[in-house]
């Protein structure tokens, strides 16, 4: 089997969006599966719409997703002379001809066709100009484009690895432009010249390019080049079944990074947009994706972008990744929230890793480590009003919890087990349900109604913070009516 060589060829007229990233991923997985080469090509011939910032954004998105390329980036804007040379070669061989029709005359003909309700196709006015006439017009500085001479009869066929055999009548294909009047190559010319030069074996790209393929196959043939295999991947639709766009939320890949998705999860999610391993496995490591990826697994039907599934995958990855792997990401979040302390990478590292393990099972996005972790790292956390309303209403808690605090304070060893045994025997002694104390403690210790297991929370906070916060029940429960005191802000010693 010849070497597998695939490419990702974004136009840097926008950031790396979900559809582009999915195309890049499929190419990358295919290359890695076959130990082939993945080439990055930047299609920046449209100088007005391309920008260096967009190129940088695309590279950043690819790096975030771990899609490393083996060759490139190759910039088409640096190869213009080469496209012109190839265009001349086609002209010399009689496969292309200059067309002097003015923009105005073509527009008028197109309009007339629209009025008559017949499909417009370039009518071949300049197709058979004699060499002398061409010379004369050129001498008169008459502007021209270069058109490809599409054979006037027969069929063009190619087989798509996803969509199957496709054929078109040549009569329906117009003599398309290869070089514009300013000497710039069109997409068809540059893409085929590059794919030939780069010895691309498989063109894997969005299904929106399927209609371009017949023209490109004609070009390969005219250049006497081997036609690659094509695999067009289905479109991605938003949940409302219209084509995925900015309307459906952030579509640039780096925006997902910024929202706190993990690259592993996002990659897994992208892989499932239009491909399946043949069974209902959804969560797959990168090694597994590489192992299982095949063009046969690509679906014909459009893929639907499901944000819920992405969030689910992300939470799955968060809860299963080792704390050490999450540490740098959580550090960045904590730093951003002003909650980071160098000691968490130093003498308190083991404790901090324990905290990550405690929080990760409930995290959906990286910022959840901040919202759920704040009470462990700082005394400046808020008590959620609805949690207070639900679990701190019972007036007896104002006495029960400080008493419980005294018991916990007296423990010679403060662990998950001793804290639990103490709370349960205390509940029995005072003839209250343990749940009453547990729920109220959770709200006081974390500010939230939902948090990890209360005894893990206590052990993580440590004896002194736990007892200190439980004593605050005398202010937090019933407020001024009970103790007659106004509550000091959390964090101030009582
Ligand atoms: N530059 C084209 C695009 O961004 C891709 C061309 C191709 O893959 O053939 O849509």
């Amino acid at each position: 089997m010849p070497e597998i060589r695939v490419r990702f060829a974004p136009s840097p007229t926008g950031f790396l969006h979900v559809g582009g990233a999915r195309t890049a991923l499929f190419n990358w997985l295919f290359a890695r599966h076959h130990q082939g080469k993945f080439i990055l090509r930047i299609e920046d011939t449209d100088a007005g719409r391309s920008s260096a910032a967009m190129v940088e954004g695309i590279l950043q998105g690819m790096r975030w997703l771990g899609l490393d390329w083996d060759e490139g980036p190759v910039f088409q804007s640096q190869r213009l002379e080469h496209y012109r040379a190839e265009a001349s070669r086609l002209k010399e061989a009689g496969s292309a001809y200059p067309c002097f029709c003015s923009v105005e005359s073509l527009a008028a003909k197109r309009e007339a066709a629209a009025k008559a309700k017949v499909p417009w196709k370039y009518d071949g006015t300049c197709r058979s100009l004699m060499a002398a006439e061409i010379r004369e017009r050129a001498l008169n500085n008459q502007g021209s484009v270069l058109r490809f001479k599409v054979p006037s009869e027969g069929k063009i066929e190619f087989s798509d690895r996803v969509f199957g055999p496709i054929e078109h009548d040549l009569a329906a294909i117009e003599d398309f432009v290869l070089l514009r009047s300013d000497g710039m190559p069109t997409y068809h010319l540059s893409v085929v010249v590059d794919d030939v030069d780069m010895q691309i074996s498989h063109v894997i790209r969005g299904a929106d390019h399927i209609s371009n393929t017949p023209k490109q196959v004609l070009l390969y043939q005219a250049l006497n080049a081997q036609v690659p295999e094509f695999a067009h991947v289905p479109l991605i639709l938003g949940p409302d079944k219209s084509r995925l766009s900015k309307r459906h939320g952030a579509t640039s890949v780096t925006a997902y990074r910024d929202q706190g998705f993990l690259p592993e999860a996002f990659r897994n999610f992208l892989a499932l947009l239009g491909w399946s391993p043949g069974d209902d496995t959804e969560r797959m490591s990168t090694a597994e994706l590489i192992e299982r990826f095949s063009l046969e697994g690509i679906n014909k039907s459009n893929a639907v972008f499901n944000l819920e599934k992405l969030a689910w995958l992300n939470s799955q990855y968060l809860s299963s990744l080792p704390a050490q792997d999450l540490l740098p990401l959580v550090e960045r979040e904590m730093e951003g929230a002003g909650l980071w302390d160098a000691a968490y990478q130093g003498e308190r590292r083991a404790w901090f890793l324990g905290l990550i393990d405690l929080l990760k099972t409930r995290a959906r996005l990286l910022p959840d480590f901040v919202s759920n972790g704040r009470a462990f790292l700082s005394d400046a956390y808020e008590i959620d009003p609805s949690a207070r309303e639900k679990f701190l209403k019972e007036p007896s808690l104002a006495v029960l919890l400080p008493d419980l605090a005294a018991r916990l304070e007296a423990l010679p060893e403060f662990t998950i087990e001793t804290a639990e045994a103490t709370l349960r025997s205390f509940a029995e002694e005072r003839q209250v349900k343990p749940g009453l104390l547990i729920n109220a403690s959770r709200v006081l210790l974390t500010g939230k109604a939902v948090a990890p297991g209360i005894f893990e929370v206590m052990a993580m906070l440590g004896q002194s913070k736990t007892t200190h916060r439980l004593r605050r029940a005398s202010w937090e429960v019933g407020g001024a009516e009970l103790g007659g005191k106004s509550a000091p802000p959390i964090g101030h010693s009582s």
Side-chain angles (χ1 to χ4, degrees), residues 7-13 17 23 41-43 76 187 191 195 203-206 208-209 212 216:
R7 72 337 186 248
F8 174 49
S11 306
T13 52
H17 53 82
T23 300
R41 182 169 82 218
I42 305 292
E43 306 213 321
Q76 287 194 327
Y187 156 68
V191 93
D195 285 344
V203 170
I204 306 170
R205 60 184 176 189
D208 46 340
H209 286 295
N212 292 325
Q216 294 176 6

Side-chain angles (χ1 to χ4, degrees), residues 228-288:
E229 301 231 18
F230 291 96
H232 286 92
V233 300
L235 299 181
I236 304 174
L237 307 181
D240 61 357
K241 305 283 154 61
S242 69
R243 200 167 163 184
L244 188 68
S245 74
K246 292 211 178 74
R247 279 184 302 116
H248 300 107
T251 55
S252 110
V253 161
T254 41
Y256 290 96
R257 175 198 62 193
D258 299 343
Q259 283 173 38
F261 288 97
L262 292 173
E264 294 88 336
F266 199 73
R267 195 159 57 213
N268 190 157
F269 171 72
L270 282 180
L272 297 172
L273 285 175
W275 171 80
S276 102
D279 55 33
D280 13 313
T281 316
E282 297 216 292
R283 214 182 119 194
M284 281 165 278
S285 67
T286 303
E288 234 173 310

